[in-house]
Amino acid sequence: MKRIPLLLATAALGVLPLHAENFICAHGHVHAAPAAGPGSGIRRYAPDRRADLLHLIIDVTPDFKQRSIAAQATLTFKPIGQPMDELRLNGVDLQVSSVVSSAKLKGYQSTADEVVLTFDKPLLPGVEQKVTIVYTATPGEGLYFRTPEQGYKEGETHLYSQGETVFARHWFPVLDSPNEKLTTEVVCHVPDGMTVFANGKLLSQEKNASTGLTAFRWKQEKPHSAYLVSLVAGQFAVVEDKYKELPLAFIVPPGDAALAKKSLDGTKEMLAFFEKELGYPYAWEKYYQIVVRDFQWGGMENTSVTTLTDRTLHTAEYETLRSSISLVAHELAHQWFGDVVTCKDWSTLWLNEGFATYYDALFQEHFYGREHFLYERWQVARGLTGTQNPRPIVYRKTAADALDQFSNLSYQKGSWVLHMLRSDLGPDLYRQVIQTYLKRYQFQPVVTENLLSVFEETTGKSFDQFFDQWLYHGGHPELAVDYAWDEKTGLARVGIRQTQKITDEILQFRVPVTVRFKGDFGTVDKVFQLDDLAQDFHVALPSAPKIVRVDPEIALLAKVEFNPSRALFDAQLADTADHMGRVLAVEKIAKDKQADAVKRIAGLLKTDKQWFVRAEVAKALRQIGTDEALTALRAATDQPDARARRAVFDAIGSFTQPAALETLIAALPKEKNPDIRDTIVRSLPRHPKPETRAELLRQLESKSFREHLFDAGVAGLRAADDASLIKPLHEAILKREKDLEGRSLGQALSALGFLARNETDKTPVRDLLLKHASNPRDPVARGAITGLGELVDLRVRPVLAGLAVAAPNETRRKAAEAAIKALDQGVKAPEAVTGLRGEVLELQKSNKDLKAEMETLKKRFDAMATRPAPADAKKKK
Ligand SMILES: [Zn+2]
C-alpha cells in the first residue's frame, strides 16, 4: 500500500513523483514521510488460528442508491489440532439473518465486531466443514461507493474495497489477519452497463432474467490473506494488453479513458524486470490496475488486481514532473512481497513495504540508470537521518489498526536495510538470497527471522548483529569523519567517530564505511570496518589524493559529517564523472556561505549536464539568499528539463526582492507546465501587492487539469492570510461547489475557515462549513470539518465532538478529532495571552511593592546610619 501524497508532483525527485512516502510541501520541497507515531503502548501479536480457513465465496449484491450490500459468505475450514466448539470470525456491523452449516449449529451471534458460530458438538480437527452466513451491511469502511447521489459524475458510478489493514471485516466475515491465507471467490451482481473486477480469474458472467442483474464470478486459485481481497464494480473504461500470456488491463472511470495508457505505461517492462531480478515468475492469473475516485491511498496491491488513485493520471504537459512509474512499480513489486510472501502480522510490515519500496527503486535503477538511483537513495537517506528515531522497524506497540506502521520506517528505512545488504553482498549473491526466500516461503506468512535465516544459510555470514541494530533497534549512526595526509610516510589517515547518543533503543553500530581516494594514481576504494566508537584507519597511497569521498556509492544509512579542505571540495565540484560528488560539494558550499559561494557554483546552473545537479544548485542559491544568488537564478530560468526549471522558479519564489516578483509575473503567461505554474502561484503571497492578489484570485476562476491551478490559488490565498480574501473565496466556492472535485472543494473550505478565524461575525462561513461537514463526498466533508476547527468558533465544538464519535467512517472521525484539537488550541491561544498578561501585571505589581519596600528599608537604613549610637551599646562593648 502506498500513502497518498499531499501534492502529486515533486521538485527534486522529478520522475519519482508518486514516491508517495515523500510528502511535498506547498513549495514543492520533498519532506520525509512522517515518522511513526508513538503507537499504543500495547504489544500486539498475530491472533490464534483455531481453524484453517480453506476457501471463501463472497456473494454480493450492492445497492448503489442505499450504499449497502446484501451478501452471503460460504466458508470451508478445518479445525486445527484440537476439537473446536466455536468458530469466531471478524465481522463489523454485519446484520446476519441466517446461517447454514455442515455440522449441526447450536446457535450464532453477530456482535459489533464478530460473528460467532457455536456448534452442537465440538468439531474434530482436520475434518473439513462448511458454513454459509447470510447478511446485509452498510459499510462505513472497507467498501466505498462513488455515486451521483454523493456528487460524483453520472456515468462513473462505482464501488471498491480497501482491506488493508483491518477493514475487510466491514464487508465480509473472515479471520481478518495476514497470518491466515485462503483461496477466495467473489461473485457480484450488477445492473446493465456495469462490470465487476476481483482477484484471480473470471469464471463466468451470467445475466439473471428475473432480476436483470449480471453476476460476475471471479476465483483466486492460490491462497492469499483477507486484506488482499478486492471487489471493484461499476462503470469503467478498459484498456487491455498482454505480457507474454498474462492478461493485463488498465481500468479507469470512463471520463479518464484517454489518460489511461500514457499514465500506466511501463507495466510490461516492470514485469519482465521483476521476473528476471527475482527469479520467480509472476504468480497470479492476470494483472489488472484499476483507478478509482477519491482513493484513500496512492495504491493498494490487491492480489492480481491493484487499486490506484486517479491522481496518478496525468497529461503530457507535465513533462518530466509527473510519472506513475514509482507507484506502478511499488504495487507490482507487492505482487511478490506482500501477496506471495506476507508479513505474519503488522509488526513486521517492512517485509511487505520495505521490499516494495526497494524493488521500485531497483526498477528505476534499471530504467533510468545508476546515477538516478544513487540520487534517489541519497535523498531517501537524508530524509531518514534528519532526526534520530528510536522506534525500531519491527515494532509491536502499534495502534489497534496498525496504521502507524505505515511510516518511513517500514517503507524507506526498510528499503535502506535491503539496500545495505545488497551493497554488502553484491547484486548476485543478494539475488540468490531473495530467490530462495521467495521459493521457500511462497503462499505463507513470514517473520523477519525467516529472512535472516535465508541470508545466513546462503552466504555463510552471521547477520544477527546487522538485524539487531537495524531492525530490532532504532536510529542510525552519526559519523564524524576527519582526514589527513602525511607526505613523509605517504599515508592517508581517516578517523571515524560514532557520535549518536547511545541508548537502550539506539545501539553502537557496526558498519562498513567505504572511502574513495582519487588522484594521479587513479581511484582507490577502501572499506573500513567500523567496530568501535572511534577508530583511525591508514591507507598507503602513491601520492596525495586530490579527492576524498566518504561512502561514494551511497551504501550506508548514516549521517556523515565530513569537512575536507577547500581544495579537495573544489576538485570534487569539478569532477564531471561524479554527479553525487558535485551535489554534495554544492550543498556544502551553500551551507558554509563563504563570500565567493555564488561564483563557485552558479556556473553549473547553466553548464551541468545532469538535471539534478542543476536543481541542487538552484536550491543552494536559494539557501545563500543574496542579491547575487537571485541574479544567477533569474539568468537561468530557461532550463530544458522541467525538474530543474521548477527548482529554479521555486528558488526565485523564496526571494522577496521586487526583481524576483518581476521574473515570476513575466514567466506566468509563458510557462505551460501546470506544476511550474503552480509553484509560481504559490510563491506570490511573499509579495503582498494588488497585482499578486489579483493573480491569486484569477486562479479561482481557472479551468485546469484536475483543478490543479484552482488548488494553487487556494493555497496562495491561505498563505497570503488577508481578511479581504474571505469574500472572494467564499463567492468562488458558492459558484463552483457543483463542478469542483472533492479534494479541491475540501481544501477551499478549510482555507476559508482559516482565513475567517479572526472575523467578528463568523456566521456565513460557519454556515457554509456546517452544510458541507455532512457532504457525502469524504474529501469535501473532511475539508469542511478541518475548516470548522480552523475557524476557532466555540459554537461548533459540540458538532465536532459529535462527529468525532459518530461520523460514518474513520476519515471523518479523525478529521473531527484533529479539528477539535485545532479549535481548542485556537481558543486557548488568546486565553494563554490573557493569562500571561495577568502574570506580567502581577509581577509588575509585586515588583512595585518590592521597590516600595526597598525604598522604605533604605530610608530606615539611612536614618539608622546617621543616628548616634545608643549609650547602652557602648557600655556593652
Ligand atoms: Zn506498499
Side-chain angles (χ1 to χ4, degrees), residues 659-673:
L661 180 62
E662 201 179 288
T663 309
L664 298 174
I665 292 281
L668 257 186
K670 282 183 278 173
E671 180 58 59
K672 294 283 176 290
N673 190 311

Side-chain angles (χ1 to χ4, degrees), residues 42-63:
I42 300 168
R43 295 182 75 83
R44 295 179 201 279
Y45 303 89
D48 288 341
R49 291 170 65 239
R50 294 290 314 280
D52 183 8
L53 307 191
L54 303 170
H55 187 63
L56 173 66
I57 306 170
I58 313 160
D59 187 303
V60 183
T61 306
D63 182 331

Side-chain angles (χ1 to χ4, degrees), residues 1-3 21 164 299 301 330-331 334 352-353 356-357 406 411:
M1 184 154 74
K2 261 203 148 181
R3 281 181 183 282
E21 292 69 47
E164 195 171 21
E301 65 273 18
H330 178 105
E331 303 308 337
H334 269 310
N352 292 8
E353 297 302 347
T357 306
F406 291 76
Y411 287 75

Side-chain angles (χ1 to χ4, degrees), residues 129-196:
Q129 302 289 349
K130 190 189 247 185
V131 291
T132 297
I133 301 164
V134 181
Y135 62 97
T136 57
T138 308
E141 311 279 6
L143 192 69
Y144 304 89
F145 286 85
R146 300 293 181 244
T147 69
E149 289 76 21
Q150 294 169 289
Y152 293 93
K153 274 190 206 132
E154 292 284 348
E156 292 194 347
T157 296
H158 59 275
L159 67 80
Y160 64 87
S161 65
Q162 168 55 29
E164 195 171 21
T165 47
V166 290
F167 305 106
R169 62 188 71 174
H170 288 255
W171 67 284
F172 62 90
V174 72
L175 180 63
D176 190 9
S177 172
N179 63 328
E180 176 60 61
K181 288 203 176 207
L182 67 167
T183 54
T184 59
E185 214 167 316
V186 174
V187 188
C188 181
H189 308 258
V190 290
D192 286 343
M194 286 198 182
T195 183
V196 175

